[in-house]
Amino acid sequence: MKILIGSDKYGVDLKEHLKSYLLSKGYQVVDKTEDSVDFVDSADRVCKGILGNEGDRAILIDAYGVGSFIAANKHKGIICAQVSDEHSAFMTRNHNNTSVITLGSKILGQTLAENIVDSYLESEYAGGRHQIRVDMLNKML
């Protein structure tokens, strides 16, 4: 699985930690923000990468995860969730077919961030009754 990752200046340290963590677990990781950018630009690069099939899923990191969440959801075809716990990370993929999650570097420690990422990446979209809402979300923009 190929994971796109990006951050603003507040998320760089957690991004670098998660890149190493994901690589050690055998994931391919593409850093879309090796330069210093605002969370709006980070979200734009990562979401365009997902929409262009450059990766399977994505992770955005800023101070609180909220700015990246807002920016990511401005992209038609992207369903993004801001998460700060493992269960929400699992369920947002399982029920909402989320392609992007956002994390807050000033909220999460490294171990919790690793656990959240694991839950998100190990979850699969359940489809079925959930597809109705996913279709509704995709028609909104």
Side-chain angles (χ1 to χ4, degrees):
M1 184 182 303
K2 187 183 286 186
I3 310 303
L4 304 184
I5 195 167
S7 73
D8 68 1
K9 66 182 179 180
Y10 298 106
V12 170
D13 291 342
L14 185 56
K15 177 188 73 170
E16 293 301 324
H17 174 78
L18 288 175
K19 278 173 42 179
S20 296
Y21 177 74
L22 291 168
L23 289 168
S24 75
K25 295 192 76 162
Y27 291 102
Q28 293 178 297
V29 180
V30 178
D31 187 345
K32 300 295 279 183
T33 56
E34 292 182 344
D35 53 339
S36 180
V37 296
D38 187 84
F39 67 77
V40 174
D41 294 323
S42 173
D44 188 52
R45 290 179 188 181
V46 167
C47 290
K48 285 179 178 174
I50 288 293
L51 293 170
N53 295 313
E54 293 176 31
D56 303 301
R57 297 198 203 160
I59 302 163
L60 287 164
I61 307 159
D62 63 30
Y64 303 103
V66 177
S68 295
F69 163 79
I70 293 167
N73 279 309
K74 295 289 185 180
H75 293 78
K76 184 169 179 62
I78 293 293
I79 300 175
C80 176
Q82 188 273 328
V83 295
S84 54
D85 67 272
E86 299 95 326
H87 184 70
S88 296
F90 182 89
M91 294 305 290
T92 195
R93 176 64 185 175
N94 191 257
H95 285 193
N96 303 318
N97 201 21
T98 306
S99 55
V100 181
I101 61 168
T102 66
L103 307 174
S105 63
K106 292 188 176 187
I107 297 172
L108 306 173
Q110 291 179 345
T111 301
L112 180 54
E114 290 171 2
N115 293 341
I116 288 169
V117 167
D118 285 343
S119 293
Y120 172 61
L121 297 178
E122 291 167 6
S123 179
E124 291 298 329
Y125 177 50
R129 66 184 175 93
H130 306 293
Q131 189 60 48
I132 295 166
R133 287 188 302 276
V134 169
D135 290 342
M136 292 168 72
L137 288 168
N138 285 326
K139 290 179 185 175
M140 289 184 82
L141 296 176

